[in-house]
Structure formats: structure tokens, C-alpha cells
Amino acid sequence: MDTNKRAYQMLVLIATHKLVDKATELFLNMNLPIQYRLNAEGTASSEILDALGLGSVDKSVLISTVPQGFGEQMLQQLHNQLRLDAVNSGIAFTIPLTGASNLMIRMMTKIDEDNEFPQQGKGENTMTGNKHTLVIAIVDRGFSDDVMVAARAAGAGGGTVIHSRGIENEDATGFWGLSVQEEKELVLILAEVENKVDIMRAISEKCGMHSEAKGLVMSLPIDAVMGI
């Protein structure tokens, strides 16, 4: 196989802890070697939680890397086994990867050889036709609610918050006159492509670098999605 022509995807699942436990076992059974699991929070309001009889919006994020021809198969399996069409279950999607380390290519090539996954032609996609995008806002701790208020006003639905830590470059922050807070929040919003610009603009205006949130906003393309 010519690995230079082989495409790879990042497979992301955002779901309840229990469903992610099941997905982790499925991933292991499929011999997927690259996995990351993160704790996160949903962005539903307390009023919505009370109405649904739920006490928590805690989520887990499971990330793996797969050959492109295998991504849609895994999405379908996750959809069927985790019932992602049910209320308060989860969402799974794939993101195209434009680069990979030699180690990852060797690992993915071994998976291809063991499982004989199909290869897709360039641009082929049988699910959503790239109708969605992932908007990512990185803000100082405590401003994720402000991000979601701005995003919802611009047409976004829900989001997922991941707590993280920034790495400060003292020379850069001194040059720009910025005060960088180490504790950060990543807000992940799966949005329709036609709403992307409005959502990003709304977040930037309310929580951009010149606000107290000191936010950055970016977007990534989505190949396919299950659970909407």
C-alpha cells in the first residue's frame, strides 16, 4: 500500500461516561491503537436539566485515529450499539487529518493489512456531505457560558466544555502586553456550515482577545456525523 495516498481521520465521540465505556471496549476490540479520553461538561442549563430529571451534564470525549475507509464503519457501529439517536446519548463525528507522524502511519497501515478496510476516493462521503463544521473557542476559565450565549444567539445548538491549561510564552505575552491565564476552557460546538461565520463572529465579538475572556476561535471541517 502507498501510505502517501492513504487518508486518515480523527474519530471523536462525545457522550455520557457509561456510553464512552462501551465505546472504549468496542475500539479495543477493533484494535484501534491511538485513543485519548477526556472529561468534559455539557452546556445545558439547570432549567433544562431539572425538566429532564437529570442531575448532571458530565460527558466524556473519546478520540481515536482511523483510516478514512474505516471512519464511516465505526460511526455506524457507534450509532447502532450506543443508540446515538436517543435523547441525552451522544454524538460522533470524523475530522480529516492533513498530516501524520511516521509512527501513526505505520500503526494505521498495520490496521489496514489486518482488517482490509475499504479505501475511499478523494472527496467521497456517504453520510452528511460536509454539512457540518466544528467550531472551537478557547477562553479563560469561567467564560464558557458567555461563549454559549453568543453562539446560541447566532444559531448554535449545544456545546461541550473541556477544561485545559494554557502554556504561557513570557516573551510573547510581554511583547503583546497580554496577561495569559493558565486555566483554559475549550468549547466545542458542532454547527451547520452555513452558520459557521455568524457563530464565530458572535463569539469573537463577545469573548475575543480584547475581552476579559481572552478568547480565540477556530473551526475544523467535519467529514461525517452521527447522533444529530
Side-chain angles (χ1 to χ4, degrees), residues 130-160:
N130 296 321
K131 295 179 181 178
H132 296 86
T133 186
L134 183 66
V135 176
I136 304 173
I138 305 173
V139 294
D140 283 353
R141 179 68 66 89
F143 288 93
S144 58
D145 287 344
D146 292 342
V147 170
M148 287 309 305
V149 168
R152 286 195 174 101
T160 300

Side-chain angles (χ1 to χ4, degrees), residues 77-196:
Q77 289 200 46
L78 290 172
H79 180 267
N80 294 339
Q81 297 193 29
L82 305 184
R83 297 191 60 189
L84 294 182
D85 54 343
V87 176
N88 195 40
S89 55
I91 187 170
F93 53 89
T94 53
I95 300 172
L97 295 179
T98 58
S101 67
N102 289 334
L103 174 60
M104 193 191 83
I105 289 176
R106 289 197 299 271
M107 296 169 76
M108 292 298 104
T109 301
K110 182 63 165 58
I111 292 177
D112 286 343
E113 293 171 348
D114 291 343
N115 297 279
E116 297 182 354
F117 299 135
Q119 295 192 39
Q120 289 179 285
K122 184 177 180 180
E124 290 183 4
N125 183 15
T126 62
M127 287 193 177
T128 62
N130 296 321
K131 295 179 181 178
H132 296 86
T133 186
L134 183 66
V135 176
I136 304 173
I138 305 173
V139 294
D140 283 353
R141 179 68 66 89
F143 288 93
S144 58
D145 287 344
D146 292 342
V147 170
M148 287 309 305
V149 168
R152 286 195 174 101
T160 300
V161 180
I162 300 175
H163 297 289
S164 64
R165 185 176 68 86
I167 300 175
E168 181 173 349
N169 183 322
E170 294 182 0
D171 292 335
T173 55
F175 177 80
W176 291 107
L178 300 175
S179 176
V180 178
Q181 179 178 317
E182 283 192 353
E183 297 300 319
K184 299 287 183 179
E185 291 176 336
L186 275 70
V187 184
L188 310 182
I189 302 170
L190 194 65
E192 295 183 355
V193 170
E194 56 264 31
N195 294 334
K196 179 184 75 172

Side-chain angles (χ1 to χ4, degrees), residues 3 5-9 66-69 97:
T3 57
K5 296 182 180 180
R6 183 46 133 167
Y8 300 97
Q9 297 170 303
V66 298
Q68 185 175 12
L97 295 179

